[in-house]
Amino acid sequence: MPSQIVKIYFDKFKGIRKSKPISDPFNGVMSALDMKNIDLKYSGNSDAVGIYSMSGNFEFFKFDNENEEIIAMFKSMGQINNESKDFWFIYTADNNENKGKLYLFDKDLLSLKLLSSDLTLSKYANGITVNQGFYDYFFFTNGIDAPLAINMGETEENQVTIVNATDYEGRAIRGLALESYDGRVVMSSKNRVHWSK
């Protein structure tokens, strides 16, 4: 029997779910574990949520250094003084200087703030937001260096903390897998899993 192309229209999005996904493509129903390059908007019609994707990419910022390559970008939604704000973090690799850099990008001003310029060069990175209530933190790791904790509500000189955590045997905790649960950071390091107190 020959195959045929079927167009499917999803009009009943059931949210981002970490477990028990919902998928019924022929009735237009789906959920997702994670989504990239999209925005979720409440439709105003009951509890329905619409999915908006970009219709095309456009350049809104360019690095002066052409040897600086963007490895990863993270959007973090945090609270500052009980007001929601979006934060954009950019991890780059500078091949000339042989190091990685982490920036905070201000989308409104189209400007960069250098948070760390002395990271080990890595082609991988991960970051998560940990909600703490009054101030939220963004945790960043490249899997090689000690993770960074960025306090989104703190002043510039105290905004970035290097997390030199060790396990009970004195081994440095380094890894790429990050998760946030109940206000704690969970991170894997080789064959071990660690969480913050």
Side-chain angles (χ1 to χ4, degrees), residues 4-196:
Q4 72 183 73
I5 297 173
V6 177
K7 289 186 179 180
I8 298 174
Y9 176 73
F10 290 97
D11 62 349
K12 297 173 189 81
F13 181 64
K14 295 298 181 180
I16 297 175
R17 298 168 174 246
K18 295 290 182 180
S19 64
K20 297 183 182 177
I22 298 171
S23 180
D24 186 359
F26 293 105
N27 288 316
V29 177
M30 74 168 219
S31 69
L33 291 173
D34 191 15
M35 301 182 92
K36 301 214 184 280
N37 202 26
I38 58 99
D39 280 325
L40 300 178
K41 307 260 188 211
Y42 287 102
S43 67
N45 181 11
S46 179
D47 62 349
V49 175
I51 304 172
Y52 295 83
S53 63
M54 291 180 58
S55 59
N57 294 324
F58 65 95
E59 181 179 301
F60 57 87
F61 186 84
K62 186 174 182 175
F63 284 93
D64 293 333
N65 181 355
E66 291 191 11
N67 294 310
E68 205 160 359
E69 171 189 0
I70 295 176
I71 302 300
M73 291 178 28
F74 307 95
K75 179 182 179 183
S76 178
M77 291 179 274
Q79 293 273 332
I80 294 182
N81 300 325
N82 292 324
E83 291 187 31
S84 295
K85 184 173 179 182
D86 291 345
F87 296 88
W88 295 83
F89 296 92
I90 302 173
Y91 175 61
T92 66
D94 188 331
N95 296 315
N96 272 359
E97 296 181 21
N98 202 27
K99 62 169 100 171
K101 298 178 182 179
L102 183 66
Y103 296 94
L104 176 60
F105 178 70
D106 189 321
K107 192 175 175 184
D108 297 328
L109 300 175
L110 298 179
S111 64
L112 286 177
K113 175 183 167 189
L114 184 63
L115 297 174
S116 181
S117 63
D118 203 23
L119 298 168
T120 304
L121 191 64
S122 171
K123 292 290 183 186
Y124 305 100
N126 196 4
I128 61 168
T129 302
V130 178
N131 298 317
Q132 293 289 318
F134 196 66
Y135 292 126
D136 296 328
Y137 283 85
F138 177 75
F139 278 80
F140 170 83
T141 180
N142 63 4
I144 301 169
D145 297 315
L148 301 177
I150 296 101
N151 183 335
M152 297 179 209
E154 191 56 75
T155 59
E156 231 174 273
E157 59 271 1
N158 299 322
Q159 191 173 25
V160 180
T161 302
I162 298 171
V163 183
N164 281 314
T166 57
D167 64 12
Y168 68 95
E169 293 180 0
R171 299 174 292 193
I173 298 174
R174 305 286 188 271
L176 280 171
L178 283 174
E179 189 57 67
S180 170
Y181 176 74
D182 196 24
R184 294 180 175 197
V185 176
V186 181
M187 180 181 218
S188 71
S189 181
K190 297 189 179 178
N191 61 346
R192 304 176 309 272
V193 176
H194 305 274
W195 62 89
S196 62

